[in-house]
């Protein structure tokens, strides 16, 4: 994150915007070529929630 000059609070904001309540629910965070931050939910966490 330091190399790309992304702050932790920016990653947390992107996660909240994606409906994620805890970083434990996150599989990966991707810095897109246009500067947006994408957050990928963990499949393991999704399986637990959906049965």
């Amino acid at each position: 994150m330091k190399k790309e000059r992304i702050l932790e609070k920016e990653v947390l904001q992107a996660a909240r915007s994606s409906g994620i309540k805890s970083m434990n629910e996150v599989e990966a965070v991707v810095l897109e070529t246009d500067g947006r931050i994408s957050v990928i939910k963990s499949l393991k966490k999704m399986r637990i929630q959906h049965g």
Side-chain angles (χ1 to χ4, degrees), residues 17-42:
S17 295
S18 296
I20 294 171
K21 296 176 184 162
S22 168
M23 291 305 286
N24 291 329
E25 300 176 36
V26 175
E27 181 74 24
V29 177
V30 179
L31 179 60
E32 303 289 355
T33 56
D34 64 0
R36 290 182 297 136
I37 299 172
S38 296
V39 181
I40 312 300
K41 286 186 178 183
S42 170

